[in-house]
Amino acid sequence: MVDSDLLGAIIEHANDIVILTRAEPLDEPGPVITYVNPAFTRLTGYRREEALGQTPRILQGPDTDRATLDRIRAALERAEPVREEVLNYDRDGRSYWLDMQIMPLRDTHGRVTHFAAIERDLTEKRRAEELKAEFVSTVSHELRTPLTSISGALRLLEAGAVSPLSDAGSELLSLATRNCDRLQTLIDDLLDMQKIVAGKFEFAEERIDLGELVRAGVAQQQPFAARHRVQFDCRLSAEKLVVRGDANRLLQVLANLLSNAAKFAPADSVVTIEVRRADPSPARVTVADRGPGIPPEFHAHVFEPFTQAVDNELGGTGLGLSIARALVEHHGGAIGFHANRPVGTVFYVDLPLVG
């Protein structure tokens, strides 16, 4: 056992905040503070004697999220540990963000007597994330206007708006067009990711025939597959499978899976798309290719942003699957994959059915 005086000294000199509250009462006015360490006084501005006997509500303010507080209260009522990010306010009314971990402390009879909270200041990290998101959004929007003009000019050249180009000129034009399209995709993906992180992604709500949605998505991606000499084999369930959500966002998910499959599948191969009822009840869409598969060491990173399992000259932002996961999870579903090394990958999307 570690000496209690040594533990006390560690807590007193810790950079993280440590707060101890009595477990009772959980209802009004709530648990009262029985101990705070010096890190608490440095961040909040409250002297120790001002905090003792108060409830943690003295740290809450107008923008403290009530739903977060409700989750914390529910966990404490169940005597379970809980971790949340919380916006609090110091003695002068300035806000700050905390990574808060709360755990119940029990006596020798197993009864919960206190709750210990260990809190880390996230304010600077949050501000850095906000600045990064603002920078990405600003730069992406500023790039869109000139990129649209460049793209339009390239399309006119491709359509023969000026004198016919030489073979070398046509090849350079094709290269410029492809890279312009890649840049447009990157900008769109960056803006989508920024909206997702900020919680500002807008979703419609409607009943969707999943089979018809997949049929439409496959038709949209058919020209892309043809350019890569890949065929789509679409197998739809005879049963009508209805899900609820935003059709355009689900088409975005499907477009990502189909374009990835077409890019990485070998020429003259078939990508199989299947829609069926999964056991026991979700609707499942699978996209299976015969590409190089995903290396085992990359499996844990497939849905992380800015990552790609296979380096290739066909491009890609490394954001598509991360965005797809966020969109699917918003619909109450799940996305995953089965990698059949050395050949083939099957991605699947499960969505809840509605009556």
Side-chain angles (χ1 to χ4, degrees):
M1 293 291 290
V2 179
D3 182 84
S4 60
D5 290 338
L6 179 58
L7 284 175
I10 292 172
I11 293 172
E12 283 287 300
H13 291 89
N15 290 324
D16 289 345
I17 291 172
V18 179
I19 303 176
L20 198 64
T21 61
R22 284 204 305 266
E24 298 293 342
L26 277 176
D27 53 359
E28 298 294 339
V32 298
I33 298 171
T34 61
Y35 170 82
V36 295
N37 69 342
F40 171 91
T41 64
R42 289 195 297 269
L43 181 61
T44 68
Y46 286 99
R47 298 189 305 275
R48 182 172 289 181
E49 57 269 22
E50 290 179 303
L52 299 182
Q54 299 287 340
T55 76
R57 291 185 181 183
I58 62 171
L59 304 172
Q60 298 166 15
D63 291 325
T64 303
D65 184 56
R66 300 297 136 182
T68 301
L69 297 179
D70 289 342
R71 289 194 299 271
I72 293 173
R73 175 179 289 274
L76 299 186
E77 288 175 348
R78 297 190 300 268
E80 296 175 352
V82 60
R83 182 173 184 173
E84 293 281 355
E85 291 188 3
V86 181
L87 181 70
N88 274 353
Y89 291 78
D90 68 14
R91 194 174 189 276
D92 296 323
R94 291 185 292 265
S95 62
Y96 59 93
W97 280 97
L98 289 173
D99 174 18
M100 178 185 295
Q101 300 181 70
I102 306 176
M103 60 210 77
L105 302 180
R106 303 176 185 271
D107 61 18
T108 55
H109 302 290
R111 185 173 64 92
V112 176
T113 60
H114 293 80
F115 292 106
I118 300 175
E119 303 172 351
R120 177 161 295 180
D121 186 6
L122 295 180
T123 307
E124 291 305 316
K125 179 183 176 183
R126 281 274 189 155
R127 286 175 181 162
E129 289 173 349
E130 290 171 1
L131 286 173
K132 181 176 70 174
E134 183 178 347
F135 173 77
V136 169
S137 179
T138 300
V139 170
S140 299
H141 279 102
E142 290 297 322
L143 285 174
R144 260 188 165 174
T145 299
L147 185 61
T148 300
S149 298
I150 294 169
S151 178
L154 292 174
R155 302 300 179 194
L156 288 173
L157 288 173
E158 284 187 321
V162 297
S163 300
L165 298 174
S166 64
D167 290 344
S170 296
E171 186 175 342
L172 289 173
L173 176 60
S174 177
L175 177 64
T177 301
R178 289 198 305 271
N179 281 282
C180 188
D181 290 342
R182 288 176 61 182
L183 185 55
Q184 182 64 62
T185 300
L186 173 60
I187 290 172
D188 290 342
D189 284 351
L190 284 171
L191 289 173
D192 281 349
M193 182 59 70
Q194 190 267 335
K195 289 177 184 176
I196 289 170
V197 171
K200 296 180 180 178
F201 222 91
E202 296 181 358
F203 293 88
E205 190 76 18
E206 58 185 318
R207 290 172 61 88
I208 302 167
D209 183 328
L210 189 58
E212 289 303 313
L213 181 87
V214 170
R215 192 195 306 274
V218 170
Q220 288 177 6
Q221 295 300 312
Q222 195 70 55
F224 183 85
R227 289 201 299 271
H228 291 275
R229 293 169 52 196
V230 171
Q231 293 184 340
F232 285 150
D233 178 14
C234 191
R235 304 174 183 179
L236 303 181
S237 169
E239 177 186 8
K240 183 176 181 179
L241 302 175
V242 179
V243 299
R244 183 176 296 279
D246 189 314
N248 288 329
R249 299 306 182 194
L250 292 177
L251 281 172
Q252 185 176 347
V253 172
L254 188 61
N256 179 268
L257 297 182
L258 292 175
S259 63
N260 280 349
K263 280 192 297 185
F264 295 115
D268 302 318
S269 67
V270 176
V271 171
T272 303
I273 303 97
E274 186 177 5
V275 180
R276 60 181 174 83
R277 181 191 287 267
D279 185 32
S281 62
R284 170 165 288 194
V285 180
T286 59
V287 178
D289 65 61
R290 299 288 294 170
I294 301 173
E297 63 272 16
F298 193 79
H299 286 185
H301 309 290
V302 166
F303 294 101
E304 293 178 2
F306 300 108
T307 57
Q308 288 181 297
V310 179
D311 293 328
N312 74 102
E313 61 182 16
L314 299 173
T317 65
L319 288 171
L321 287 174
S322 181
I323 293 171
R325 179 175 63 177
L327 296 179
V328 170
E329 290 178 351
H330 175 86
H331 285 79
I335 185 171
F337 67 95
H338 305 295
N340 305 316
R341 293 283 284 181
V343 177
T345 304
V346 179
F347 275 89
Y348 64 85
V349 173
D350 289 342
L351 294 168
L353 290 164
V354 298

